[in-house]
Amino acid sequence: MNDNQLIERQGDHKNLICYRKAELIYDITYHFAHAAFCKGDRTIDQMVQAARSGKQNIVEGNADMNTSMEMGIKLLNVAKGSLKELLSDYEDYLRVNQCRQWEESSVEFEAMRKLGKSADNAYILSIAKTRSLNVVANMAIILIKQEDFLLHKLLESVSSRFIKEGGFKEKMYRVRMAQRREQ
């Protein structure tokens, strides 16, 4: 942190792993919801909006960090909440349609977990577009659980930074005092 600089250049949200995963979750959800439900079913809009909210709140939270860590933390938590809602929608889909949700010890779960950690978005999306809806729902569930973990780690990091550095008002005070010492 530069003691003489009040507003630092914010990092690009597209470089955040959690943003890229949220973008993939949005893309898969858009595909899934339009394939799984009849046109006019509110579930389409609900799922797409929950996925969009997860992604967009990461963008806004990242942007707001410079002047309000509190707001940034709140928005990242909103992203987590939206994705938890989406997770529940996918679990509901599997339950209502009497489809198996992959157990954590299953071969499918483990394969998707590894794929979600290492493959790029375009590759995973191309796979999702060729699979049955129950497979796509399971894929999305695993990706959302990975995203939840990533957002939790980011929130821990930002909280730790806040404890160490303080908020924007404290930073304003430090910059003003540094300026006075230089004069």
Side-chain angles (χ1 to χ4, degrees):
M1 178 178 77
N2 182 349
D3 281 341
N4 294 322
Q5 189 174 1
L6 186 57
I7 305 289
E8 296 176 22
R9 183 170 168 82
Q10 189 66 27
D12 186 358
H13 63 273
K14 291 181 181 178
N15 292 329
L16 294 172
I17 295 169
C18 65
Y19 172 79
R20 292 193 307 267
K21 190 168 294 288
E23 186 176 56
L24 172 61
I25 291 166
Y26 173 83
D27 293 347
I28 287 174
T29 300
Y30 187 90
H31 162 73
F32 175 87
H34 285 92
F37 304 102
C38 297
K39 186 176 180 175
D41 187 329
R42 285 195 40 193
T43 309
I44 297 170
D45 291 338
Q46 294 283 353
M47 289 184 76
V48 170
Q49 281 306 113
R52 183 182 183 281
S53 176
K55 179 175 76 73
Q56 294 304 105
N57 278 293
I58 293 168
V59 174
E60 190 174 354
N62 184 59
D64 285 357
M65 288 290 172
N66 262 342
T67 56
S68 177
M69 275 198 194
E70 178 185 356
M71 183 57 71
I73 289 168
K74 285 180 180 179
L75 288 166
L76 291 175
N77 212 39
V78 169
K80 273 179 66 77
S82 294
L83 292 168
K84 289 280 193 177
E85 176 186 341
L86 182 61
L87 174 66
S88 181
D89 285 333
Y90 278 113
E91 291 170 340
D92 288 348
Y93 175 84
L94 291 174
R95 187 186 70 258
V96 168
N97 289 285
Q98 299 176 344
C99 298
R100 177 179 147 250
Q101 183 173 336
W102 297 339
E103 305 82 21
E104 288 193 28
S105 60
S106 70
V107 172
E108 301 96 335
F109 184 97
E110 199 52 38
M112 183 58 211
R113 189 187 67 74
K114 287 179 184 172
L115 187 66
K117 285 174 76 174
S118 61
D120 74 340
N121 286 5
Y123 180 69
I124 295 172
L125 183 60
S126 71
I127 291 171
K129 287 183 174 181
T130 65
R131 298 305 190 267
S132 66
L133 292 172
N134 64 317
V135 169
V136 176
N138 274 292
M139 290 173 70
I141 286 169
I142 293 164
L143 291 169
I144 293 167
K145 288 179 177 183
Q146 289 176 331
E147 176 69 355
D148 185 63
F149 176 79
L150 291 171
L151 285 170
H152 177 75
K153 287 304 203 185
L154 181 57
L155 283 164
E156 280 183 340
S157 172
V158 171
S159 297
S160 178
R161 192 172 114 207
F162 176 76
I163 290 167
K164 180 180 171 190
E165 298 174 12
F168 189 66
K169 286 183 182 177
E170 291 166 295
K171 186 175 182 180
M172 288 171 44
Y173 177 79
R174 285 192 304 270
V175 169
R176 191 177 45 184
M177 291 296 107
Q179 185 70 31
R180 284 185 182 168
R181 281 191 298 275
E182 287 178 10
Q183 291 176 346

